[in-house]
């Protein structure tokens, strides 16, 4: 397949044409061999992702499609076989549709049509139309928004013309009813010549009917696929297509009365207002951070005491029983794994609460409004309107945010946005913000986190404006095109499922990285650099770790945090920001206090270090440290994602830019701040 679309735009699709069955056999681990392939398609914000989660029960994986750089979802759609559905005379009831108990479900990237404007839309077109006929999905389920029926049917029209097996999943019927429109699914099905099933995936309504409709579609002989050239777009074909859509929509809908202003429209007058909207957004985010830090604090304190007390004591006792007490093994287990990993695990309640609150905002429909509010600001400084969608994702995790830049059609926009994503404060940084905020500001930690997120937004805007006016002065901005979902009451089941999925992903990623990092840090802290010292019994400042950190620390002295313990934590933070906490905890756990000195707590050690390195100005130094943490290179996973999307040259440019911006901003904050604090 050529990597160039009809519009001449170069896309990141590899020469090998991707196929559904090849991909499903390449180690996805989802679905039984030979299970029918069902593709789920539809425009963004029509409930497609919710439907996918409902059908798979979140038994899904996400990853790059083989031969492309585009992420898709794969899952298993399981069901009871039930009654015979075959209506063929020849097969005598032996159709595959009568025997299967699961489908392999592929969640295709959102697309309004099969005329691609970005790499992810190109993949949807390739898999549905341009792959060999034997490798296309057995059935395509198209999620259609009942409240915007005509617009959603364009994709259905194209698939129908291509002779695909299609089943329509009709969503948002309650929203259409509020707008004074009643959709008759039976009449619509007659007009389309395609099965139409009303579903409410949030409440798992209609999913059994959808399963039956797909099985019945499988039982029918597959239509002979038409080549793309047989129905390529031209003016006459477009006129016929729109006429068909208009007739089908008119046949399937009835006006129940005058359209009334919906609750969502009334709320949107405030939350998307040019002045009130940003204020509401800031208020909502402040409340989120305040609740997170306040509610999670007691649980964090309890977990901290649990790991430093009973767990550490139990580990020492167990090692003593087997003759390893007082050895380097005890240092690795107690001062390494328990101290480092335990400190990270104390933040699990905070992360869980944060994910729950964000899931509630997303399920309610508010986060889409937040994108609209912030998009206005982005476009005013010349950044692409659609670019803010990946940036919003970046506040959760920078890695998928880099991947999300594929929604941008212009390669220059993808590069610019990929360079800005690392300045968004991901949840890994959140753990460090909270720890520092709690140590130095107590109950004001929530406000500290809120200020850091505001600073992150300001950094994105500032750096974006500089890059736009230097490297991409001729690049035009695009408006944000976004369907706003209606406001709705979040469901407990969906909120819990989404929150657990994100927390599990965080723990799965962090646990592997942290364990490896903790072991590496412990090893470096155990290697002596002075004659006569033994492995595992060396003071940490004299270890290979301490000596290396002391050589780096002077770089940060102008920023007020030139202590070697902090410098080493920031270096370890290149691997993952969560590792900043674990390496700090390890350092202070193994560092021997001077004679007669009270070792104090972890928080006391941090406060003492900043007090000493800042010359009596700890708060400006803390602010400078947080700014540096916010702006410098986020993690190796983000670097890998950038390399995959924009290549090594731009990735290395981004790393250098982030380090320069982070160091300059940190020095400025400290040098100015110490004049007043």
């Amino acid at each position: 397949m050529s990597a160039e679309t009809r519009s001449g735009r170069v896309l990141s699709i590899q020469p090998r044409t991707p196929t559904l069955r090849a991909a499903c056999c390449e180690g996805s681990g989802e679905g039984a061999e030979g299970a029918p392939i069902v593709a789920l398609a539809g425009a963004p914000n029509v409930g497609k992702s919710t439907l996918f989660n409902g059908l798979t029960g979140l038994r899904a994986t996400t990853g790059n499609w083989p031969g492309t750089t585009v992420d898709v979802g794969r899952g298993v759609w399981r069901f009871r076989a039930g009654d015979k559905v075959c209506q063929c005379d020849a097969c005598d009831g032996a159709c595959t549709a009568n025997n299967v108990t699961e489908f392999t479900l592929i969640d295709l990237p959102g697309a309004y049509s099969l005329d691609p404007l970005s790499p992810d839309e190109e993949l949807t077109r390739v898999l549905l139309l341009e792959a060999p006929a034997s490798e296309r999905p057995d059935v395509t389920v198209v999620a259609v928004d009942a409240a915007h029926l005509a617009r959603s049917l364009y994709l259905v029209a194209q698939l129908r013309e291509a002779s695909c097996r299609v089943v329509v999943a009709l969503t948002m019927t309650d929203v259409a009813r509020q707008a004074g429109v009643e959709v008759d699914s039976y009449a619509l099905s007659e007009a389309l010549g395609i099965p139409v099933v009303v579903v409410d995936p949030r409440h798992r309504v209609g999913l059994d009917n959808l399963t039956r409709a797909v099985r019945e579609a499988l039982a029918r002989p597959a239509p002979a696929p038409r080549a793309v050239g047989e129905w390529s777009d031209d003016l006459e074909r477009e006129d016929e297509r729109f006429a068909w859509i208009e007739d089908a929509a008119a046949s399937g809908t009835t006006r129940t009365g005058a359209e009334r202003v919906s609750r969502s429209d009334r709320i949107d007058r405030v939350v998307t207002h040019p002045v009130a909207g940003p204020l509401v957004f800031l208020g909502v985010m402040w409340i989120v951070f305040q609740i997170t830090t306040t509610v999670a604090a007691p649980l964090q304190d309890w977990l901290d005491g649990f790991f430093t007390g009973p767990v550490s004591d139990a580990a020492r006792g167990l090692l003593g029983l087997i003759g390893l007490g007082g050895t380097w093994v005890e240092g690795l287990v107690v001062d390494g794994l328990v101290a480092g990993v335990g400190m990270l695990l104390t933040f699990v309640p905070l992360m869980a609460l944060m994910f729950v609150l964000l899931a509630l905002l997303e399920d309610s429909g508010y986060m889409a409004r937040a994108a609209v509010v912030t998009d206005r600001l982005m476009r005013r400084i010349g950044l692409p309107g659609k670019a803010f969608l990946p940036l919003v994702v970046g506040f959760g995790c920078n890695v998928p945010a880099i991947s999300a830049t594929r929604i941008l059609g212009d390669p220059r926009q993808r590069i610019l946005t990929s360079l800005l994503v690392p300045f968004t404060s991901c949840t890994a940084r959140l753990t460090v913000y909270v720890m520092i905020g709690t140590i130095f500001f107590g109950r004001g930690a929530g406000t500290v986190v809120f200020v850091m997120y505001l600073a992150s937004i300001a950094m994105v805007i500032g750096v974006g404006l500089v890059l736009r006016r230097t490297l991409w002065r001729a690049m035009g901005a695009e408006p944000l095109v976004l369907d706003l979902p209606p406001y709705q009451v979040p469901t407990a089941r969906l909120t819990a499922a989404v929150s657990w999925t994100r927390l599990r992903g965080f723990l799965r990623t962090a646990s592997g990285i942290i364990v490896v990092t903790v072991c590496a840090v412990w090893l470096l802290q155990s290697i002596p650099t002075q004659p006569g010292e033994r492995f595992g019994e060396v003071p940490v400042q004299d270890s290979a770790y301490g000596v290396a950190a002391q050589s780096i620390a002077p770089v940060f002295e102008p920023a007020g945090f030139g202590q070697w313990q902090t410098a080493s934590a920031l270096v370890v933070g290149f691997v993952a920001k969560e590792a900043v906490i674990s390496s700090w905890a390890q350092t202070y756990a193994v560092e021997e206090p001077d004679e007669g000195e009270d070792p104090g707590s972890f928080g006391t050690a941090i406060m003492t270090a900043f007090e000493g390195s800042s010359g009596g100005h700890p708060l400006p130094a803390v602010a400078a440290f947080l700014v540096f943490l916010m702006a410098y290179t986020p993690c190796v996973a983000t670097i890998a994602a950038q390399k995959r999307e924009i290549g090594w040259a731009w990735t290395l440019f981004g790393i250098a830019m982030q380090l320069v911006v982070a160091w300059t901003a940190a020095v400025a904050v400290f040098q100015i701040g110490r004049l007043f604090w």
Side-chain angles (χ1 to χ4, degrees):
M1 183 195 77
S2 171
E4 191 168 310
T5 66
R6 293 189 298 274
S7 62
R9 183 175 294 121
V10 177
L11 302 171
S12 56
I13 300 292
Q14 303 298 323
R16 179 170 76 89
T17 301
T19 60
L20 284 161
R21 283 167 176 76
C24 291
C25 296
E26 293 185 17
S28 71
E30 297 292 345
E33 183 178 355
I37 308 296
V38 179
L40 181 58
N45 287 329
V46 298
K48 184 169 69 71
S49 297
T50 307
L51 179 59
F52 176 75
N53 290 336
L55 292 172
T56 62
L58 291 177
R59 295 183 298 269
T61 59
T62 300
N64 282 347
W65 196 268
T68 76
T69 62
V70 179
D71 288 339
V72 295
R74 301 179 180 88
V76 180
W77 175 358
R78 292 194 175 96
F79 51 88
R80 292 176 296 180
D83 298 330
K84 183 178 77 173
V85 298
C86 177
Q87 300 173 1
C88 306
D89 296 331
C91 72
D92 194 26
C95 278
T96 303
N98 285 319
N99 303 318
V100 298
T101 58
E102 67 181 38
F103 302 138
T104 298
L105 188 63
I106 307 297
D107 186 17
L108 298 178
Y112 290 96
S113 72
L114 297 176
D115 302 313
L117 296 175
S118 61
D120 52 351
E121 292 178 352
E122 177 77 359
L123 176 64
T124 297
R125 175 185 174 87
V126 168
L127 292 178
L128 293 179
L129 301 179
E130 297 180 2
S134 61
E135 300 296 345
R136 299 179 192 177
D138 298 294
V139 177
T140 300
V141 175
V142 182
V144 169
D145 182 0
H148 303 92
L149 192 57
R151 182 171 61 198
S152 297
L153 288 177
Y154 190 86
L155 179 61
V156 176
Q158 289 182 308
L159 289 172
R160 172 180 171 273
E161 293 167 14
S163 299
C164 299
R165 283 192 184 111
V166 179
V167 174
V168 169
L170 193 64
T171 65
M172 308 290 186
T173 54
D174 55 336
V175 179
R177 196 173 300 113
Q178 292 175 4
V181 176
E182 191 71 40
V183 181
D184 186 336
S185 60
Y186 297 102
L188 182 61
S189 177
E190 289 292 327
L192 296 176
I194 293 171
V196 176
V197 180
V198 177
V199 296
D200 181 358
R202 297 181 69 249
H203 299 94
R204 304 184 64 83
V205 174
L207 301 188
D208 289 342
N209 293 335
L210 182 61
T211 300
R212 182 170 181 81
V214 171
R215 294 182 65 219
E216 289 176 349
L218 280 169
R220 292 191 292 269
R226 300 171 63 185
V228 175
E230 297 180 30
W231 57 276
S232 57
D233 290 338
D234 54 41
L235 184 59
E236 181 179 355
R237 175 54 57 89
E238 281 290 286
D239 290 340
E240 293 176 359
R241 188 175 294 157
F242 283 118
W244 179 81
I245 292 173
E246 183 178 357
D247 290 343
S251 301
T253 58
T254 304
R255 287 281 174 184
T256 59
E259 183 176 351
R260 60 184 183 274
V261 178
S262 67
R263 177 184 59 182
S264 294
D265 291 334
R266 291 194 296 271
I267 298 175
D268 282 343
R269 290 174 181 173
V270 177
V271 299
T272 61
H273 188 273
V275 177
L279 296 177
V280 171
F281 173 69
L282 293 177
V284 168
M285 298 314 296
W286 181 83
I287 291 172
V288 167
F289 296 133
Q290 197 65 26
I291 292 176
T292 299
T293 54
T294 302
V295 175
L299 293 174
Q300 287 183 268
D301 293 340
W302 181 84
L303 285 173
D304 181 45
F306 176 70
F307 284 108
T308 58
V311 174
S312 296
D313 294 341
R316 290 191 183 94
L318 181 60
L319 291 172
L321 290 175
I322 59 177
L324 294 176
T327 65
W328 64 266
V329 177
E330 180 179 310
L332 172 62
V333 174
V334 178
D335 298 328
L337 293 175
V338 174
V341 178
M343 177 60 70
L344 178 67
L345 291 179
T346 62
F347 287 90
V348 169
L350 180 143
M351 302 301 293
L353 184 56
M354 173 66 74
F355 288 142
V356 168
L357 294 175
L358 293 179
L360 289 172
L361 291 177
E362 292 172 2
D363 197 19
S364 69
Y366 176 73
M367 291 305 286
R369 276 74 180 179
V372 172
V373 169
T374 48
D375 167 67
R376 290 197 181 103
L377 178 61
M378 299 295 289
R379 286 191 287 115
R380 285 177 181 174
I381 64 171
L383 291 174
K386 288 174 65 177
F388 197 79
L389 294 176
L391 293 174
V392 169
V393 176
F395 285 97
C397 180
N398 288 175
V399 176
I402 297 291
S403 301
T405 60
R406 299 166 191 151
I407 67 172
L408 304 174
D410 191 330
R412 296 172 301 173
Q413 295 177 357
R414 294 202 291 273
I415 294 172
L416 173 58
T417 309
S418 295
L419 293 176
L420 294 179
V421 163
F423 292 107
T424 59
S425 288
C426 61
T427 51
R429 292 182 178 102
L430 173 65
T431 58
V432 187
Y433 294 163
V434 172
M435 183 192 71
I436 293 294
T438 302
I439 291 174
F440 286 91
F441 301 96
R443 292 185 175 273
T447 301
V448 171
V449 175
F450 175 68
V451 170
M452 292 309 303
Y453 274 78
L454 290 183
S456 179
I457 294 173
M459 187 72 74
V460 169
I461 294 172
V463 175
L465 186 57
V466 171
L467 292 177
R468 175 61 185 276
R469 293 187 175 179
T470 54
L471 299 180
W472 289 284
R473 286 177 292 180
M475 182 174 63
E478 295 179 0
L480 175 66
V481 179
L482 181 68
D483 285 330
L484 294 180
Y487 289 102
Q488 50 199 1
V489 178
T491 59
R493 180 184 179 277
L494 183 60
T495 298
V498 171
S499 301
W500 167 242
T501 299
R502 292 175 177 173
L503 181 62
R504 182 180 58 189
F506 170 80
L507 292 174
R508 181 182 298 142
T509 302
S511 60
I513 293 174
I514 294 302
V515 169
V516 172
T517 304
V518 162
C519 292
V521 169
W522 175 86
L523 177 62
L524 291 173
Q525 290 178 343
S526 300
I527 298 176
T529 59
Q530 302 295 329
E533 294 177 338
R534 299 175 59 186
F535 177 83
E537 299 178 4
V538 56
V540 66
Q541 64 269 20
D542 295 332
S543 68
Y545 181 86
V547 171
Q550 290 167 35
S551 67
I552 299 171
V555 175
F556 299 106
E557 287 181 358
F561 51 92
Q563 66 271 35
W564 66 266
Q565 297 95 333
T566 300
S568 63
L570 289 173
V571 172
V572 174
F574 270 102
V575 179
K577 288 299 173 285
E578 305 95 327
V580 170
I581 296 176
S582 62
S583 64
W584 236 342
Q586 281 182 270
T587 298
Y588 288 113
V590 301
E591 185 175 14
E592 296 291 340
D594 294 334
E595 185 176 354
E597 180 184 356
D598 183 5
S601 65
F602 177 75
T604 302
I606 297 292
M607 294 180 70
T608 302
F610 274 96
E611 180 74 30
S613 65
S614 63
H617 302 281
L619 294 185
V622 167
F625 170 79
L626 291 176
V627 168
F628 187 90
L629 180 82
M630 173 191 71
Y632 89 111
T633 310
C635 64
V636 292
T638 299
I639 294 174
Q642 283 185 312
K643 181 264 178 183
R644 185 183 66 205
E645 297 296 330
I646 61 179
W648 269 122
W650 282 113
T651 299
L652 294 175
F653 170 81
I655 294 173
M657 177 187 66
Q658 292 150 19
L659 289 173
V660 170
V661 169
W663 186 86
T664 303
V667 170
V669 167
F670 176 70
Q671 295 298 335
I672 296 174
R674 70 174 183 168
L675 299 177
F676 303 96
W677 289 340

